[in-house]
Amino acid sequence: ISGYGGRIHNPVVDENRILMAFSNSSWGDLAPMRHRIVALNKENGQVLYWTGPGDAPTDPTTYAMPVTAVLNGMRQIIFANGEGTVYGLKARTGEEVWKFRFSKRGLNVTPILHGQRIIIGHSEENWDNTEMGRLSCIEGTLSGDITSNGEVWRADGVGVGYASPSYANGRIYVVENYSNLL
């Protein structure tokens, strides 16, 4: 598998699957450029499914890793996409559960989980205003387009575009693009 410019993300092992994320275009149903996940059987490499939610990526080269979790009783892949949207996908089929429009550009920061919620950041232009950067907490138990009702809290103007957040001892830690630890 080769992604845009030959790049793919690190593989993620989940149950009997190896999940690989990358941007690509190909032939047939896979012809349109998308940020995709291919799920492979970890025992024999057989393709279980391909999924490519959303539109063509604004940034074909992004570095956010997919994360798996059980949210609201459902095993999901939390997928920060190259077109600026965070997706909750059914881990066993790749079907979309929810989506949250977050940035006008691709997402590079791997989401983290805190209970049933997702913490994610970026340093690009926000989807709904012209300020650069945001750190948000998204409710992971909803379904459908949760852009208008799924955000628990936000901090605009926080440029978290490269280093993923961390959670420890009841606090969220982020390193802004300018090396500030918050």
Side-chain angles (χ1 to χ4, degrees):
I1 294 171
S2 180
Y4 179 80
R7 298 170 190 91
I8 62 171
H9 301 198
N10 292 333
V12 173
V13 177
D14 180 56
E15 294 180 327
N16 69 326
R17 294 172 299 281
I18 297 173
L19 306 171
M20 295 174 51
F22 52 91
S23 294
N24 86 327
S25 59
S26 189
W27 293 272
D29 292 341
L30 301 176
M33 173 64 95
R34 293 287 184 271
H35 194 169
R36 305 183 196 284
I37 293 177
V38 62
L40 306 171
N41 180 304
K42 73 178 184 182
E43 299 298 326
N44 61 23
Q46 181 179 29
V47 174
L48 300 172
Y49 66 80
W50 285 81
T51 186
D55 297 320
T58 312
D59 296 311
T61 302
T62 57
Y63 301 99
M65 298 289 299
V67 175
T68 59
V70 176
L71 300 172
N72 204 26
M74 181 186 314
R75 189 155 198 84
Q76 294 184 31
I77 303 166
I78 312 307
F79 184 44
N81 198 300
E83 43 94 68
T85 302
V86 183
Y87 291 90
L89 307 172
K90 291 181 180 179
R92 295 178 181 125
T93 65
E95 296 171 81
E96 184 179 306
V97 177
W98 55 265
K99 66 181 177 181
F100 181 82
R101 189 72 174 154
F102 191 46
S103 170
K104 290 186 179 181
R105 305 289 306 203
L107 302 171
N108 287 303
V109 174
T110 299
I112 63 168
L113 297 157
H114 179 59
Q116 299 286 294
R117 294 180 171 166
I118 297 102
I119 311 295
I120 183 89
H122 72 81
S123 61
E124 303 296 337
E125 189 173 340
N126 292 318
W127 176 249
D128 57 354
N129 65 40
T130 57
E131 194 160 4
M132 298 294 285
R134 177 176 289 163
L135 182 68
S136 286
C137 176
I138 303 166
E139 180 59 54
T141 61
L142 303 175
S143 61
D145 185 341
I146 64 169
T147 304
S148 63
N149 66 335
E151 191 171 52
V152 177
W153 56 259
R154 73 166 63 169
D156 280 343
V158 179
V160 183
Y162 303 110
S164 298
S166 295
Y167 179 85
N169 303 318
R171 293 179 181 230
I172 298 167
Y173 296 91
V174 295
V175 178
E176 288 186 296
N177 293 2
Y178 309 106
S179 302
N180 298 320
L181 175 64
L182 304 177

